Amino acid sequence: MGRYVIRRLLQMIPVFVGSTFLIFVMVYALGDPVAALFGDRAPDPATAAQIRRDLYLDHPLWQQYTHYMAQIFQGNFGTAFTGQPVLQLMGSAWPLTIRLTIVAVIVEGVIGIILGIISGMRRGRSVDTGVLVLTLIVVSIPTFVSGYVLQFLFGVKWGVVNPSVSAAAPFNELILPGVVLALVSLAYVTRLTRTSIAENTRADYVRTAVAKGLPRRRVILRHLLRNSLIPVVTFIGTDVGALMGGAIVTERIFNIHGVGYQLYQGILRQNSPTVVGFVTILVIVFLVANLLVDLLYAVLDPRIRYA
Amino acid sequence: MSGSARLKWAVCASAIALTATACGGGGGGGGGANGIVRASWGDPQHPLEPANTNEVQGGKVLDMVFRGLKKYDPKTGAAQNWIADSISTSDQQNFTVKLKPGWKFSNGEPVTAHSFVDAWNYGALVTNKQLNSSFFSYIDGYGQVHPGSGNPTAQAMSGLVVKDDQTFTVKLSQKFSTWPDTLGYSAFYPLPRTFFTDHAGWLQKPVGDGPYAIDSYTKGSIMRLRKWDGYTGDDKAKNGGVDLRVYTDSNTAYTDLQAGNIDLVDDIPATQLRNVKRDLGPRYINQPAGIIQTIAFPMYDPRWNGTSMQKVRQGISMAIDRASITSKIFLNTRTPATDWTSPVLGDKGGYKAGLCGGVCTYSPSQAKKLIQEGGGLPGGQMKIGYNADTGSHKEWVDAVCNSINNSLGNDRACVGAPVGTFADFRNQITSKSETNPFRAGWQMDYPLIQDFLQPLYYTGGSSNDSHWSNADFDKLVDQANAESDSAKAVGDFQDAEKILAQQVPAIPLWYQNGNAGYSSNISNVALNQFSVPVYNDITVG
């Protein structure tokens, strides 16, 4: 087990270096950001040269990259064009996005699994068909549509919540954005759970449990559910990274100043330290989440052993 | 604001005072309580230094927190003496500036001649990397503090001399009669000592001499400005303060306005223009701003600069149906342009409707004839360069091309040529590698006809992206700048503009309006010529 974890952690190093380099190249390929700082006015060459020198932009790409990586290992993620250190941006953005992701994971986990169990247990009946149709609709609606529609309905039409989230972004204000962010994944979780449950209801061990005269509750919760949830847990685990990255749209709609917002600003202003810094952390989150899911497998299913 | 909210606010405020760290907002609720205006904002792109702020979001804050020598009247655009008692000259080149006594920064420091001279020297010095440093280029000695390359040979401009606390003199490197009228621009604001002694601290919470003081600033999300009671100017704030909330998406800001979560939105999203009158009624503002949109020709490219090409350029201008495009695509938030300035200048300031004459009048048959006489479009096709990332330019560029194609009876005469990012677009233009006509927008820095002509069309002008050069035009601009009588100066500028109407280095398309919407909580809302709300006049309740 320990050796497996170490091997996985070592594998992360090339992924980390490769992904940061790729992102660096992509932002670099967008062109020189200094001209845009001057707006519609032609840049003053002397000032532009000073800014380029300051941002290390007057060096070739590979030197910029090594300079940037050296800085990162000293704990310096560079500065945005507003003069704010990227580390400070991260400090304000990550807590918001993590909170939003927690809400989304809870929503998709709890509601998705409950719906999945209900329709899985009543396979082929009208409830099951209803849930299937409903999830199909949800999957086919893009997030920005459901986001704007729910925002308008709950925020303006019915006035239940504020359409935008305040700067502090407490959990109660994040419920609607969390639901919007979770919707598509929620549909997948429902369908996964349903299939898994429907399959396992006919498994030998369930029949045995029923034959033993165990109460129905206990059969479902202890025997059926625990075995059926393995693929669902995998999905939710890997989805954490996707939710954080996918929050760009949701954060924009609800004016949450989290990771998505900072990434969007960084891309628009072509500030490579911001973009590379945030994406790097996203990559790490993704890798760690994957590792945790793989380890969780062994816990849920004793048959799986890592060496 | 409820009792608990007020307590929370007090705790936040004291926490900021003690640790200078950020403090999150307390959520919705308190609709305009205590006379606070809740307004939408965009994250400023640069640190909030006067000489380093060249976009409207940062400029908004500076205009609330600072006052300069002059101020532009929000209605007429006329430059009025504000901190300046007088700015006098006998030769249009040497100016003596006298200040009114009694002006103070909100930290109690008096505003003196040094506050201005030090600020301007800071803005001009190349090593300070201020984006607006070129505004000081008219001052004598700019070349020493801001050489084209290499290190500066002086730290201060020789043209600025402090006589006493209330007086300083300015020597310009050329005659420029309307120079005093440029001094209302934010780059010329004075700075207190703390700006130089504690720069990082000042940037966290800028201190100025205007009607508002910054109470707290959480970068990237909210700035709380409060009325400064010690302000002695005539334009005191009529509300208790302004909360500027950063929105990433103008649609969200608009939705918040509808939900009563915010009072003032000064950027109506294009998608909502159809509904805005129904949603807001009289609380929707749509008025001219000092912005003109043009299509500039790459005059450095021989394909567009040939002697016969003048007719082609005129013809293209006549092939564009401005009226239909402004009404159908922009829903009348733009007005067809008939000169190269802006209606906000007023007739006295140099705006002259119809100066462009037939060249800016839609006439398909004439257009076709002129283009044929000029030898046709170079290569048989023209492309219009634009950036695709911001501002949704695709829609109108396609419409302009469509109009040209219809006029010429050729489906392939004109197509759009998008460039991925604004930075790349600007790079191509400034490096002269853009070989197509390209979209160009100009937002005035100060309401003067000079600002619409000299930077854009004077030989070597700071924004002369076409690299057009005409000796007669330059001569008329010089003459206008040396003129002591402003009416005569305006006349000279208009004569220069008539040369543009013949040569058409850039096609005027339309004047852009400023848009805003506000809630029923506030009243007396207006936009100035820069399409920025006049915050200090807004009343709450």
Side-chain angles (χ1 to χ4, degrees):
Chain A
M1 185 83 168
R3 279 183 58 189
Y4 174 78
V5 173
I6 290 169
R7 209 169 64 220
R8 285 289 298 264
L9 287 175
L10 285 177
Q11 281 171 0
M12 285 184 192
I13 295 172
V15 177
F16 174 76
V17 173
S19 56
T20 48
F21 185 71
L22 274 178
I23 298 152
F24 207 88
V25 171
M26 283 189 243
V27 179
Y28 183 89
L30 287 175
D32 180 2
V34 176
L37 295 182
F38 290 83
D40 279 324
R41 192 178 292 276
D44 169 61
T47 312
Q50 280 280 346
I51 295 173
R52 284 202 186 96
R53 194 176 323 149
D54 248 50
L55 297 174
Y56 220 77
L57 289 171
D58 53 346
H59 291 72
L61 173 63
W62 68 271
Q63 278 184 13
Q64 286 187 37
Y65 179 69
T66 45
H67 175 78
Y68 175 78
M69 289 307 272
Q71 273 192 326
I72 281 195
F73 285 110
Q74 291 159 20
N76 177 3
F77 277 80
T79 48
F81 290 137
T82 51
Q84 273 182 290
V86 173
L87 218 53
Q88 199 182 320
L89 298 181
M90 288 182 178
S92 68
W94 276 105
L96 299 188
T97 299
I98 289 173
R99 243 176 287 165
L100 180 63
T101 312
I102 291 173
V103 174
V105 168
I106 292 175
V107 168
E108 78 172 74
V110 174
I111 302 182
I113 290 174
I114 291 176
L115 281 179
I117 295 173
I118 293 172
S119 67
M121 300 296 291
R122 291 182 169 51
R123 201 163 68 130
R125 305 227 204 125
S126 56
V127 180
D128 181 35
T129 323
V131 168
L132 281 180
V133 170
L134 209 69
T135 51
L136 190 68
I137 292 171
V138 168
V139 170
S140 48
I141 298 175
T143 308
F144 72 91
V145 175
S146 55
Y148 279 124
V149 169
L150 291 179
Q151 182 189 42
F152 182 77
L153 289 180
F154 284 92
V156 181
K157 195 107 186 190
W158 301 326
V160 190
V161 293
N162 281 338
S164 69
V165 173
S166 66
F171 271 109
N172 59 342
E173 289 183 23
L174 289 174
I175 293 174
L176 182 62
V179 169
V180 169
L181 181 60
L183 268 183
V184 174
S185 303
L186 192 155
Y188 284 126
V189 169
T190 307
R191 293 187 148 225
L192 259 177
T193 315
R194 174 197 171 270
T195 316
S196 191
I197 293 264
E199 228 166 65
N200 287 339
T201 39
R202 292 185 201 143
D204 294 340
Y205 64 86
V206 174
R207 206 178 312 134
T208 314
V210 174
K212 272 199 296 187
L214 285 176
R216 191 176 151 82
R217 248 179 94 84
R218 202 173 157 83
V219 174
I220 294 174
L221 289 180
R222 288 299 287 274
H223 297 263
L224 179 58
L225 203 55
R226 195 174 157 186
N227 283 290
S228 308
L229 282 189
I230 293 174
V232 179
V233 167
T234 323
F235 176 80
I236 294 178
T238 46
D239 202 37
V240 169
L243 284 176
M244 284 187 172
I248 286 194
V249 178
T250 316
E251 288 188 2
R252 219 173 119 75
I253 295 172
F254 293 96
N255 204 37
I256 301 166
H257 296 166
V259 171
Y261 162 73
Q262 297 293 355
L263 263 178
Y264 176 77
Q265 289 282 49
I267 292 168
L268 212 62
R269 294 174 185 175
Q270 287 188 27
N271 186 271
S272 30
T274 315
V275 180
V276 182
F278 275 93
V279 176
T280 304
I281 306 283
L282 272 179
V283 168
I284 293 175
V285 168
F286 215 90
L287 292 175
V288 171
N290 264 308
L291 176 61
L292 288 180
V293 166
D294 285 352
L295 295 178
L296 208 60
Y297 257 167
V299 178
L300 282 174
D301 188 345
R303 285 170 298 186
I304 299 173
R305 287 276 173 273
Y306 294 117
Chain B
M1 203 182 271
S2 68
S4 65
R6 192 176 298 132
L7 181 67
K8 191 174 170 193
W9 168 237
V11 170
C12 276
S14 53
I16 291 158
L18 289 172
T19 59
T21 50
C23 192
N34 298 336
I36 306 295
V37 179
R38 300 161 305 167
S40 74
W41 194 34
D43 192 29
Q45 295 175 24
H46 314 295
L48 283 172
E49 299 164 297
N52 205 17
T53 297
N54 59 356
E55 41 79 47
V56 69
Q57 302 300 345
K60 239 180 226 180
V61 174
L62 293 178
D63 288 345
M64 281 194 258
V65 175
F66 280 98
R67 284 294 175 261
L69 292 172
K70 294 253 185 184
K71 182 174 175 266
Y72 302 116
D73 185 283
K75 285 203 178 68
T76 63
Q80 307 158 301
N81 280 342
W82 214 248
I83 297 183
D85 194 36
S86 67
I87 303 175
S88 52
T89 180
S90 53
D91 60 356
Q92 331 310 331
Q93 189 165 5
N94 289 284
F95 294 85
T96 304
V97 181
K98 279 197 164 50
L99 307 183
K100 285 178 189 156
W103 277 82
K104 281 189 167 58
F105 291 102
S106 60
N107 62 2
E109 187 189 323
V111 178
T112 67
H114 285 284
S115 316
F116 285 96
V117 170
D118 292 349
W120 297 4
N121 278 326
Y122 181 89
L125 192 64
V126 67
T127 47
N128 290 333
K129 301 166 296 185
Q130 303 286 292
L131 297 172
N132 280 337
S133 51
S134 62
F135 280 87
F136 305 101
S137 60
Y138 296 105
I139 298 172
D140 205 34
Y142 178 77
Q144 278 78 53
V145 299
H146 200 109
S149 61
N151 291 320
T153 53
Q155 295 295 305
M157 290 180 281
S158 56
L160 296 175
V161 180
V162 176
K163 295 291 179 193
D164 58 55
D165 267 2
Q166 303 296 323
T167 319
F168 67 99
T169 60
V170 184
K171 182 171 188 271
L172 301 184
S173 49
Q174 62 180 88
K175 285 184 194 282
F176 188 175
S177 62
T178 49
W179 179 76
D181 288 348
T182 68
L183 299 176
Y185 185 61
S186 56
F188 295 104
Y189 286 150
L191 286 169
R193 286 308 306 163
T194 50
F195 178 86
F196 305 101
T197 54
D198 178 19
H199 192 69
W202 192 90
L203 285 181
Q204 288 291 327
K205 199 174 153 185
V207 172
D209 59 344
Y212 291 97
I214 294 171
D215 192 275
S216 72
Y217 180 21
T218 310
K219 282 189 181 163
S221 67
I222 191 163
M223 178 185 269
R224 295 174 199 277
L225 296 125
R226 292 296 172 266
K227 181 184 180 177
W228 174 40
D229 291 324
Y231 181 68
T232 51
D234 290 337
D235 55 342
K236 288 187 183 63
K238 291 176 182 156
N239 46 58
V242 180
D243 281 355
L244 294 176
R245 282 185 65 180
V246 171
Y247 282 89
T248 356
D249 185 348
S250 55
N251 272 304
T252 309
Y254 187 79
T255 312
D256 253 355
L257 177 69
Q258 285 180 298
N261 210 13
I262 190 169
D263 298 319
L264 175 59
V265 171
D266 61 351
D267 175 21
I268 306 284
T271 45
Q272 301 286 1
L273 282 176
R274 277 173 210 286
N275 315 323
V276 69
K277 279 211 184 96
R278 197 186 58 219
D279 289 345
L280 299 175
R283 290 181 283 109
Y284 166 59
I285 304 174
N286 178 27
Q287 68 176 61
I291 307 169
I292 183 168
Q293 305 288 350
T294 62
I295 294 175
F297 289 99
M299 300 300 282
Y300 44 80
D301 185 331
R303 290 193 314 144
W304 287 100
N305 196 16
T307 41
S308 62
M309 290 311 289
Q310 186 173 320
K311 280 189 174 167
V312 177
R313 295 195 299 267
Q314 287 176 346
I316 294 170
S317 176
M318 293 166 110
I320 301 169
D321 185 0
R322 295 169 177 78
S324 301
I325 297 174
T326 50
S327 70
K328 297 238 171 69
I329 291 187
F330 292 117
L331 298 157
N332 298 319
T333 57
R334 309 279 192 281
T335 314
T338 54
D339 80 342
W340 279 263
T341 67
S342 165
V344 299
L345 295 179
D347 293 339
K348 232 178 110 202
Y351 167 67
K352 193 167 182 185
L355 183 140
C356 180
V359 172
C360 296
T361 313
Y362 178 54
S363 165
S365 54
Q366 188 71 8
K368 198 171 177 181
K369 197 173 139 233
L370 276 171
I371 291 174
Q372 269 166 5
E373 281 173 21
L377 296 170
Q381 190 187 44
M382 69 177 280
K383 291 181 177 174
I384 299 177
Y386 64 96
N387 59 305
D389 57 343
T390 53
S392 47
H393 299 297
K394 184 183 165 28
E395 253 193 325
W396 69 257
V397 168
D398 287 350
V400 164
C401 271
N402 203 19
S403 180
I404 293 173
N405 291 346
N406 287 342
S407 299
L408 301 185
N410 171 3
D411 274 353
R412 304 171 52 85
C414 175
V415 288
V419 178
T421 64
F422 179 64
D424 206 16
F425 178 63
R426 291 300 308 168
N427 272 325
Q428 289 189 14
I429 291 169
T430 50
S431 65
K432 297 192 188 178
S433 55
E434 172 68 89
T435 55
N436 302 310
F438 51 89
R439 75 142 197 110
W442 182 251
Q443 171 148 29
M444 65 176 187
D445 306 301
Y446 30 82
L448 286 180
I449 184 170
Q450 180 266 347
D451 193 42
F452 281 94
L453 300 179
Q454 191 165 3
L456 292 163
Y457 307 110
Y458 191 83
T459 304
S462 63
S463 294
N464 188 347
D465 291 334
S466 299
H467 295 271
W468 179 70
S469 176
N470 181 293
D472 293 333
F473 181 89
D474 292 359
K475 210 178 114 205
L476 282 164
V477 168
D478 288 340
Q479 195 179 319
N481 280 333
E483 193 65 70
S484 61
D485 178 49
S486 68
K488 276 189 188 155
V490 163
D492 287 340
F493 276 123
Q494 285 177 340
D495 286 344
E497 213 182 323
K498 280 171 194 151
I499 297 176
L500 296 180
Q502 283 166 8
Q503 303 239 331
V504 203
I507 297 173
L509 292 174
W510 35 74
Y511 312 117
Q512 191 167 325
N513 284 7
N515 290 294
Y518 55 97
S519 75
S520 50
N521 286 335
I522 60 174
S523 46
N524 206 18
V525 184
L527 300 178
N528 64 16
Q529 301 82 21
F530 303 94
S531 71
V532 172
V534 187
Y535 291 100
N536 54 286
D537 277 347
I538 297 173
T539 51
V540 180

